[in-house]
Amino acid sequence: MSSVLVAVHAVDPLTKAGLAACLGKSTHVTLTAVGEAETVVAAVSAVDAAALDLLRGLPAPARARFVLVADGGWYADPAAVAEHRVRAVLWRAEVDVTTLVRAVRAVAVGQACLPPVVQGRLLDQLEYVQREVLGSRGLTASGLSSREIDVLRLVSEGMTLSEIAAKLSYSERTIKNIVSAVMIRLGLRNRVQAVSYAIRAGLI
């Protein structure tokens, strides 16, 4: 794995220097400015509304993901935390160099590192939304139905719409309508973008 561009943010200089010193011991981390970082390590008092406000105010690139080092306490909706691109939360009392670097590297490759109790709450929320909101419409949390995912997967494999229709036992017109509905709902211009969306969402 190549070196990860990491920035450190903390209100007090001592905490910032300490986190930077820990990260600087790893050959897998290159320290940089917040505006250039792939991952931002931010020290916060708690995972709460103030922490999320702080993240919104940082000039981090849209692609950047956050690792929070918190004194303690989780007082935010897990879904809102995820929406703010937080992919790891570490409790300050439990952090050492190895744990911090491991979390940063995990986040850099698309993984997450959240406290077990928060993982459970997040999954409970997803289950509720799927059951009460999306399920009745035939959708999943990705915004796509199982049938739409099947069609996009086959498109990604290079099959024509007529071949997909035959494989799934639908008319070609139905397959065209499925692809068209996905593009309109998600604001996409063509099938390539629809397939790219499904790939980025980890569906195919």
Side-chain angles (χ1 to χ4, degrees), residues 4 8 20 22 37 39 46 81-82 93 100 104 126 151 158 161 168 173 187 191:
V4 184
V8 175
C22 288
T39 303
V81 173
L100 181 59
V104 166
L126 287 174
V151 170
L161 297 187
L168 299 180
R173 183 182 186 84
R191 294 176 203 166

Side-chain angles (χ1 to χ4, degrees), residues 2 8 18 88 91-92 132 135 169 177 186 192:
S2 59
V8 175
W91 303 127
R92 183 191 293 261
E132 302 295 333
S169 300
N177 289 340
L186 300 178
V192 173

